[in-house]
Amino acid sequence: MAVRILIVDDDELSREVLSLLATGAGYEVEAADSGDAALEQVQRVRPEVVLTDIQMPGIAGDELARQLRSLCGAGTMLLAMSGSELEEGVGRGFNGFLLKPFTMETLTATISSGLIRVEDRPADADDVVLDEGVYAKLAGSMRESQLEELYALCRKDAQVRVERMKEAASVGDDATYRKEAHALKGGCGMVGAVELQRLATSMEERGLRDDDVATLKEFVAASERLRRILIARESN
């Protein structure tokens, strides 16, 4: 019988990618877009595993883990995930932590062995535009048309968030700027857009600076490089 996993992520792209990959890996997948939705869902369908982003608006982090545990009991494995390293003392309510992006093999190994901490990051990420390993796994788990739609969704989502970041920068809204950068980091990481993920990580960590416009322009240029690479893949 397939393991039932509930994927919780407020970022639509990350949630969609994870759901597709987990389904392809043989899991029975449910999804929720917030901690509140997850708490409602586990009362209807009890999952064996809950995989949740640890940084979301509303109920999240260790408080979400505490409430999930009270509803699901000790028999459900609670796994946290994030595009950033956890701060000391954060995540203690979970059985394990996965650093985005991660493979289904990593997830399966974590579930099987109960590892407390797992990392699966591409080497030399600063010199890479597209993680070939992530791309290959996505290509192997869906039809070509679905793969094209997925990356188109990634680039469209990035364009929308960059515009929001420009608006935030124009009014000095550092919190919104960082929030959108965090969402970009997670979504880009899940599809192997390594250069975009690295830039988004930098923007989130730095926040608004005098060079924020230049950084956003660099992100747009990197998005164009990714587009050209994907076109080359599709033509081969």
Side-chain angles (χ1 to χ4, degrees):
M1 186 175 179
V3 172
R4 181 181 295 114
I5 181 169
L6 173 62
I7 295 171
V8 188
D9 201 317
D10 63 312
D11 181 68
E12 181 182 3
L13 179 60
S14 294
R15 192 170 64 250
E16 180 69 16
V17 171
L18 281 171
S19 296
L20 285 168
L21 290 175
T23 299
Y27 291 99
E28 183 179 328
V29 178
E30 302 283 340
D33 60 5
S34 68
D36 291 300
L39 292 170
E40 291 182 8
Q41 201 153 338
V42 296
Q43 296 180 66
R44 298 193 301 271
V45 180
R46 188 65 55 84
E48 284 83 17
V49 178
V50 176
L51 175 63
T52 177
D53 191 90
I54 203 166
Q55 296 178 313
M56 299 185 295
I59 301 175
D62 288 311
E63 175 59 24
L64 176 58
R66 186 188 68 78
Q67 294 195 37
L68 284 169
R69 184 66 70 201
S70 68
L71 292 171
C72 299
T76 296
M77 174 176 275
L78 303 181
L79 297 177
M81 59 180 172
S82 177
S84 305
E85 295 281 359
L86 295 184
E87 297 179 2
E88 185 176 354
V90 176
R92 291 179 177 175
F94 293 88
N95 299 107
F97 169 68
L98 292 94
L99 184 63
K100 296 179 180 178
F102 53 85
T103 65
M104 286 300 103
E105 286 84 355
T106 296
L107 174 61
T108 298
T110 304
I111 294 172
S112 300
S113 63
L115 292 175
I116 297 302
R117 183 170 181 77
V118 178
E119 292 188 12
D120 185 10
R121 304 177 73 179
D124 302 322
D126 287 354
D127 300 323
V128 177
V129 175
L130 179 65
D131 185 326
E132 298 292 348
V134 173
Y135 181 86
K137 290 183 182 300
L138 289 171
S141 65
M142 62 185 71
R143 296 190 301 273
E144 183 178 348
S145 60
Q146 291 178 310
L147 186 66
E148 292 176 9
E149 289 175 6
L150 178 62
Y151 278 98
L153 176 61
C154 174
R155 295 188 65 254
K156 182 177 180 181
D157 178 74
Q159 290 171 358
V160 171
R161 295 191 185 281
V162 166
E163 288 304 316
R164 291 175 184 169
M165 292 173 73
K166 288 179 180 178
E167 292 177 8
S170 69
V171 296
D173 186 351
D174 183 73
T176 296
Y177 184 91
R178 290 177 188 264
K179 175 184 175 183
E180 296 298 334
H182 178 79
L184 275 175
K185 176 179 66 179
C188 292
M190 291 311 301
V191 297
V194 179
E195 184 180 22
L196 294 182
Q197 181 191 24
R198 175 174 57 80
L199 289 170
T201 299
S202 176
M203 290 188 288
E204 181 189 18
E205 292 175 349
R206 290 164 55 83
L208 286 176
R209 300 282 185 91
D210 291 339
D211 60 351
D212 57 80
V213 174
T215 304
L216 286 168
K217 287 182 178 179
E218 184 180 357
F219 188 93
V220 172
S223 180
E224 177 61 21
R225 282 192 288 275
L226 175 63
R227 186 186 72 84
R228 290 198 297 268
I229 288 174
L230 292 172
I231 290 175
R233 293 288 189 283
E234 294 163 11
S235 62
N236 289 337

